[in-house]
Amino acid sequence: MITIKTPATSANLGAGFDCLGIALKLYNIFQIEKYDHNFLENVDEEYNNDNNLFLRAYRLGCETIGKYDPIHVIFDCHIPISRGLGSSASFIIGGLIAASVLHNNILSEAEIYRLACSIEGHPDNIAPCLYGGLCAGMKIDEKHFSSHKLPIHKDWKYTALVPDVEISTEETRAALPDHYARTEVATAISNAILTSQALQESNLPLLLAATHDIVHEPYRKKLIPNFEIIQQIVKEDTDGILLISGSGSTCLCIAKKELSTAARLKIASLPNHWQCLQLDIAYHGTEIER
């Protein structure tokens, strides 16, 4: 069987709304082979059907290629669902790559990226999941997307703080305003540019200033229990920044030092069973093992 490993991703990174994302070493793993019928193994019953996102992406890949073979997939999934760590991007990329590798690698990376974005609707998780590292993605129109891999300094430490709380992307998008003032848009643009620069330079003061988001975090943080308490714990313990990962409920700490055991215990003691996951960057994105 062929093995496909797709990494978790954290999108937005504060000011980079719907465009910036980073890949992290927490993986969904899919073992695949052609089969005489579709057989999804080790999948929760609610996802073991034709609407499974991996299978939907696989079908789209096959339709694009012009060939369809049923598939046997063994799922070994470690990215939590509906937590803001790019689980949907992971399944979409996995399914599309499965379609390609089972048909002589006929789809290019660029084609896989385009198809994946067409399913997801925005590129901020898709680009780092496929390419790895820190990426900026752009939606040109409904059928065309662009991406660029950005340099990032290796000094940063990343801790994903994951509560036992599901938040849907639809719910968090509904919490956002329909319009923003011109001055807010200008600030948001400069913050996004300087966030990527701070991550490249390992410039913590610049990162703290640039990730002060005005587009989504002020509205979404209200949906995340104890966000401000955890934000204060992170600030006092690491001098770093706490950001909402994607649309939440996971939060991402970026700092120059790891979160201490004492701070982890404080966070774990809060309601909603918070997990603290120290993660490295997945520089290579999705990996294929034959």
Side-chain angles (χ1 to χ4, degrees):
M1 299 182 79
I2 298 170
T3 300
I4 301 168
K5 293 174 59 178
T6 54
T9 49
S10 183
N12 300 327
L13 301 177
F17 180 67
D18 273 8
C19 63
L20 290 180
I22 193 168
L24 300 167
K25 286 188 176 180
L26 179 68
Y27 292 93
N28 283 344
I29 302 169
F30 313 102
Q31 292 180 277
I32 62 164
E33 63 182 350
K34 291 180 181 179
Y35 214 57
D36 59 2
H37 65 280
N38 288 328
F39 178 27
L40 308 183
E41 195 171 345
N42 197 28
V43 177
D44 289 344
E45 192 61 34
E46 63 180 307
Y47 302 114
N48 199 348
N49 52 58
D50 284 344
N51 203 39
N52 179 284
L53 191 53
F54 180 100
L55 196 56
R56 283 167 49 197
Y58 176 76
R59 285 198 301 266
L60 176 61
C62 288
E63 288 170 11
T64 304
I65 293 167
K67 297 180 181 180
Y68 184 80
D69 293 286
I71 188 172
H72 173 207
V73 189
I74 302 174
F75 290 75
D76 181 15
C77 297
H78 301 274
I79 305 172
I81 293 173
S82 298
R83 296 294 196 283
L85 282 171
S87 63
S88 61
S90 167
F91 287 117
I92 291 167
I93 292 293
L96 288 168
I97 287 181
S100 184
V101 299
L102 290 179
H103 298 93
N104 300 313
N105 296 306
I106 197 168
L107 295 175
S108 67
E109 274 196 338
E111 186 70 358
I112 289 169
Y113 175 70
R114 184 189 69 79
L115 291 171
C117 288
S118 72
I119 299 173
E120 181 88 334
H122 46 90
D124 50 354
N125 291 104
I126 294 295
C129 183
L130 180 59
Y131 299 118
L134 173 67
C135 293
M138 179 175 64
K139 181 177 181 179
I140 300 170
D141 56 38
E142 293 303 319
K143 293 185 178 181
H144 299 91
F145 300 83
S146 180
S147 70
H148 189 73
K149 195 166 181 178
L150 302 173
I152 186 167
H153 204 281
K154 294 187 177 182
D155 278 356
W156 299 109
K157 307 295 183 184
Y158 306 90
T159 307
L161 307 174
V162 188
D164 190 16
V165 175
E166 289 190 14
I167 298 180
S168 71
T169 301
E170 291 76 14
E171 180 184 3
T172 60
R173 286 193 179 272
L176 303 182
D178 292 326
H179 305 282
Y180 296 90
R182 185 182 304 162
T183 54
E184 291 177 319
V185 172
T187 299
I189 292 170
S190 63
N191 283 351
I193 294 169
L194 292 174
T195 292
S196 63
Q197 189 66 26
L199 290 170
Q200 177 182 343
E201 295 178 355
S202 188
N203 188 331
L204 181 58
L206 182 58
L207 185 70
L208 293 173
T211 51
H212 181 68
D213 178 63
I214 59 175
V215 173
H216 69 106
E217 288 205 346
Y219 310 97
R220 288 175 165 173
K221 70 181 183 181
K222 300 171 185 176
L223 302 174
I224 300 174
N226 297 307
F227 177 84
E228 292 182 346
I229 294 174
I230 296 172
Q231 190 176 46
Q232 189 62 32
I233 293 172
V234 164
K235 181 179 179 181
E236 292 175 357
D237 187 70
T238 67
D239 296 322
I241 190 75
L242 185 74
L243 306 171
I244 299 173
S245 181
S247 56
S249 56
T250 294
C251 299
L252 184 69
C253 168
I254 304 179
K256 291 296 190 71
K257 58 183 180 180
E258 294 184 1
L259 202 62
S260 70
T261 300
R264 290 167 180 261
L265 290 173
K266 282 183 186 178
I267 294 169
S269 70
L270 294 170
N272 300 299
H273 305 287
W274 287 82
Q275 295 183 65
C276 301
L277 306 176
Q278 188 72 42
L279 300 172
D280 294 324
I281 293 184
Y283 287 103
H284 303 296
T286 294
E287 300 176 20
I288 303 168
E289 299 173 4
R290 297 177 183 275

